[in-house]
């Protein structure tokens, strides 16, 4: 039990970047927190923090241990929750990687409601728009739509992600309506930065790939939608982001006869954490909120 308490002191100090702030968080004295961290350092034989009068920061060893320590503390909390020693509430610390646009549009509400239902659950949500290996980067769940795979993880499909091309009526009137994906090389294009300027379509004779020259690149889909509505070009965008503008007519679908291949939004979870009660509960909430199609 001393090791667990020392790990909790280490994590609180790392999060607060100081012994005093960690002590306030843990409701103990500063000297107690420092003593617990020192005991942990003695136990593992490594220095976890660079200490100075002005700041406290993790050493290289501390950076390596912090994610492992968080997982150990979370696993103990999950075990106690399952055994009923702490009551029915979920007790865990989930470090979650999520995509920026989807989080702003949909997932922020899911995470907020989930934490309201489980007030003793700690969430750390990091918005990253690239593939992430949750094992090596210290995440409990990595949410995304990139078709990458990693070892030692469980992939949990959440929903299909439909994408389309759209533009404002004003843009199409001024610049013409493309008849084929190859026509896009002559148009002003608005591209989602993580997926890049190589746009793919399904045609009657198979897959068509076009390399466009974007006028605008952004990793935030709302920026692309706003720019398309303003008449700046043709956007390659997820349907859920453009749905309102399509309904009110400020955007319209371009090249509907050449559909864009769907992606799958999935949650990638380290195998050792896949059966944790909090993770399973969050997956159920995510599937309910997102399924069947975005």
């Amino acid at each position: 039990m001393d090791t667990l308490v020392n790990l909790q002191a280490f994590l609180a100090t790392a999060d607060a970047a100081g012994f005093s702030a960690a002590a306030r968080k843990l409701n103990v004295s500063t000297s107690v927190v420092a003593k617990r961290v020192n005991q942990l350092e003695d136990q593992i034989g490594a220095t976890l923090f660079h200490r100075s009068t002005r700041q406290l920061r993790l050493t290289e060893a501390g950076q390596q241990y912090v994610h492992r320590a968080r997982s150990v503390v979370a696993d103990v909390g999950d075990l106690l929750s399952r055994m009923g020693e702490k009551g029915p509430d979920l007790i865990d610390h989930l470090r979650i990687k999520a995509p920026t646009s989807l989080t702003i549009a949909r997932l922020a509400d899911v995470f907020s409601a989930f934490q309201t239902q489980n007030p003793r659950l700690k969430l750390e949500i990091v918005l990253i728009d690239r593939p992430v290996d949750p094992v090596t980067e210290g995440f409990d769940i990595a949410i995304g739509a990139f078709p990458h795979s990693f070892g030692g993880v469980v992939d949990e499909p959440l929903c299909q992600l439909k994408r389309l091309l759209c533009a404002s009526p004003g843009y199409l009137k001024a610049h013409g309506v493309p008849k084929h994906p190859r026509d896009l090389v002559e148009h002003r294009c608005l591209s989602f930065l993580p997926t890049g300027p190589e746009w793919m379509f399904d045609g009657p004779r198979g897959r068509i790939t076009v390399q466009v020259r974007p006028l605008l690149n952004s990793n935030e889909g709302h920026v692309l939608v706003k720019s398309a509505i303003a008449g700046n070009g043709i956007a390659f965008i997820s349907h859920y982001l453009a749905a309102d503008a399509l309904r009110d007519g400020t955007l319209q679908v371009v090249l509907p006869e050449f559909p864009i291949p769907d992606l799958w939004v999935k949650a990638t979870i380290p195998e050792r954490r896949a059966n944790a009660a909090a993770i399973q509960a969050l997956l159920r909430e995510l599937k309910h909120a997102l399924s069947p199609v975005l």
Side-chain angles (χ1 to χ4, degrees):
M1 186 58 71
D2 286 345
T3 299
L4 177 61
V5 170
N6 293 344
L7 286 171
Q8 290 171 328
F10 165 54
L11 292 175
T13 304
D15 291 341
F19 290 131
S20 298
R24 289 191 294 272
K25 181 179 179 181
L26 297 174
N27 197 29
V28 297
S29 68
T30 302
S31 61
V32 167
V33 174
K35 180 180 179 182
R36 291 174 179 174
V37 172
N38 288 337
Q39 288 176 340
L40 184 62
E41 289 177 325
D42 290 341
Q43 186 176 0
I44 66 175
T47 301
L48 297 171
F49 292 102
H50 292 295
R51 297 163 169 83
S52 72
T53 56
R54 292 189 175 184
Q55 65 176 348
L56 192 73
R57 57 187 178 85
L58 288 167
T59 63
E60 184 177 348
Q63 293 172 357
Q64 293 175 351
Y65 277 112
V66 69
H67 298 314
R68 298 181 186 178
R70 212 179 293 284
S71 294
V72 169
V73 172
D75 286 343
V76 173
D78 180 59
L79 175 62
L80 294 177
S81 179
R82 288 174 180 272
M83 294 173 66
E85 294 182 15
K86 296 274 189 174
D89 292 345
L90 292 174
I91 306 168
D92 208 332
H93 183 130
L94 301 184
R95 188 166 186 259
I96 303 166
K97 173 267 177 186
T100 302
S101 297
L102 182 57
T103 301
I104 293 170
R106 297 289 181 86
L107 297 185
D109 289 338
V110 178
F111 294 144
S112 297
F114 186 65
Q115 194 161 42
T116 299
Q117 296 164 8
N118 303 281
R120 289 199 284 178
L121 188 69
K122 295 182 180 179
L123 300 182
E124 179 181 348
I125 300 166
V126 184
L127 304 187
I128 301 176
D129 295 306
R130 61 172 172 80
V132 165
D133 180 351
V135 175
T136 60
E137 297 196 42
F139 287 97
D140 298 293
I141 302 177
I143 301 170
F146 294 101
H148 290 70
S149 59
F150 303 97
V153 302
V154 175
D155 286 337
E156 192 72 34
L158 299 177
C159 69
Q160 281 183 285
L161 179 65
K162 299 189 74 66
R163 299 176 296 166
L164 48 77
L165 287 187
C166 58
S168 70
Y171 173 86
L172 296 174
K173 182 177 180 180
H175 297 274
V177 179
K179 305 298 183 184
H180 190 277
R182 287 190 293 270
D183 297 340
L184 294 170
V185 298
E186 304 299 330
H187 277 268
R188 298 161 65 88
C189 295
L190 315 176
S191 184
F192 187 54
L193 193 58
T195 53
E198 188 176 84
W199 294 1
M200 290 187 292
F201 305 84
D202 286 331
R205 297 182 180 179
R207 186 64 49 88
I208 300 168
T209 301
V210 179
Q211 190 80 20
V212 300
R213 297 187 294 272
L215 174 74
L216 170 67
N217 284 294
S218 178
N219 71 324
E220 214 298 283
H222 295 90
V223 173
L224 301 178
V225 171
K226 294 291 186 181
S227 187
I229 291 173
N232 291 331
I234 299 174
F236 186 100
I237 198 70
S238 297
H239 178 271
Y240 73 93
L241 290 169
D244 290 342
L246 293 171
R247 279 192 292 269
D248 65 26
T250 52
L251 288 179
Q252 63 186 65
V253 177
V254 176
L255 294 174
E257 64 274 26
F258 294 92
I260 297 168
D262 291 344
L263 295 176
W264 270 92
V265 178
K266 64 180 180 179
T268 302
I269 308 142
E271 288 178 347
R272 59 178 176 75
R273 292 283 283 149
N275 293 321
I279 289 177
Q280 288 298 314
L282 179 56
L283 288 174
R284 289 192 293 272
E285 293 298 321
L286 290 169
K287 289 179 180 180
H288 177 74
L290 299 178
S291 64
V293 180
L294 270 176

